[in-house]
Amino acid sequence: MSESPKNAILQRDNTYAIIPKTGFAGLLNGDSLRKLADVVDKYQIPVIKMTASQRIALVGIKEEDVNKVWADLGMEAAPATGLCVRSVQSCPGNSLCKYGKQDSLGLAQRLDELFSGIALPNKFKMGISGCPLNCCEAWTRDFGAFGKPNGFTVVIGGNAGAAPHIGKVLAEGLSIEEVVSLAGRLISYYKENAKNGERMFKFVERLGIEEIQKVTLA
Ligand code: SF4
């Protein structure tokens, strides 16, 4: 069997899906939409799918077209697979939503710029919401944050997969820069101390939230 083309995900029918990095937190612009539409028409790509992580997947690409599609797009691949910090999800927050208490998009942009794609012992998903209604589901992400009037609450160790877990509160009342700095310390600590393949919820269970607070909030 031949090796899959780079940055392409094999599908059931032996075609490929690709997930370009079009921006962060599902934000798009006319230029990226036009490029996507152009390759969809040119290579007769049958499926355009919004993913659960606020990305756009182009699905059903023939093997011989994958590299040509990437060349035409001129975009990087989003970190959609593998053991790393994946794309950061965010709701519109207080820049657009009337319920927003904090700037979730501003926080998501900083997190995406600094950490997206960093290799880790397991995948690491982030969800950022502008208020406690939590449209971006911070409680079920490896790292989540949601806005309250006094700042962001950070929760870690949530998971919505085969073994659902609600995250635990790591810190409250933080500014954007304080959340970014805490995320950096947590990611380093997790990278250095988690067992191979240990997802954040298992890491939190094994070490205890108090121990992680002691190290990352010091
Ligand atoms: S979490 Fe709050 S701020 Fe974000 S979209 Fe939902 S209601 Fe609006």
Side-chain angles (χ1 to χ4, degrees), residues 41-197:
D41 286 348
K42 182 171 172 184
Y43 297 98
Q44 297 290 293
I45 299 171
V47 178
I48 309 165
K49 174 79 177 73
M50 301 300 298
T51 74
S53 299
Q54 301 182 326
R55 295 176 290 228
I56 294 182
L58 304 181
V59 188
I61 304 173
K62 295 187 206 89
E63 181 169 356
E64 61 272 25
D65 288 342
V66 170
N67 291 336
K68 292 184 250 177
V69 171
W70 277 122
D72 283 10
L73 283 173
M75 296 174 183
E76 295 169 46
T81 59
L83 308 183
C84 66
V85 179
R86 304 285 186 84
S87 306
V88 183
Q89 295 166 252
S90 174
C91 81
N94 69 0
S95 38
L96 297 167
C97 175
K98 64 182 179 182
Y99 299 112
K101 303 292 181 223
Q102 299 293 333
D103 180 13
S104 51
L105 283 174
L107 173 57
Q109 182 172 19
R110 296 276 292 124
L111 294 170
D112 185 74
E113 283 166 359
L114 287 169
F115 305 119
S116 183
I118 290 179
L120 289 177
N122 205 326
K123 59 185 157 185
F124 187 92
K125 298 183 175 183
M126 300 201 220
I128 312 300
S129 292
C131 83
L133 293 175
N134 253 307
C135 296
C136 262
E137 303 164 346
W139 291 105
T140 52
R141 294 292 176 273
D142 299 284
F143 181 97
F146 58 91
K148 286 183 174 178
N150 67 338
F152 282 99
T153 297
V154 170
V155 295
I156 61 169
N159 189 283
H165 279 72
I166 299 297
K168 294 198 169 6
V169 174
L170 182 61
E172 296 187 89
L174 305 187
S175 68
I176 285 181
E177 285 313 311
E178 286 169 335
V179 177
V180 168
S181 152
L182 176 57
R185 290 194 298 276
L186 178 74
I187 287 169
S188 300
Y189 184 59
Y190 174 63
K191 190 177 171 104
E192 283 158 22
N193 294 283
K195 298 175 182 171
N196 251 352

Side-chain angles (χ1 to χ4, degrees), residues 179-218:
V179 177
V180 168
S181 152
L182 176 57
R185 290 194 298 276
L186 178 74
I187 287 169
S188 300
Y189 184 59
Y190 174 63
K191 190 177 171 104
E192 283 158 22
N193 294 283
K195 298 175 182 171
N196 251 352
E198 188 175 43
R199 194 78 188 258
M200 181 55 84
F201 72 89
K202 288 192 179 153
F203 185 67
V204 173
E205 275 175 2
R206 182 165 65 83
L207 272 71
I209 189 71
E210 295 80 11
E211 178 62 23
I212 296 173
Q213 282 172 322
K214 215 189 296 174
V215 175
T216 58
L217 301 178

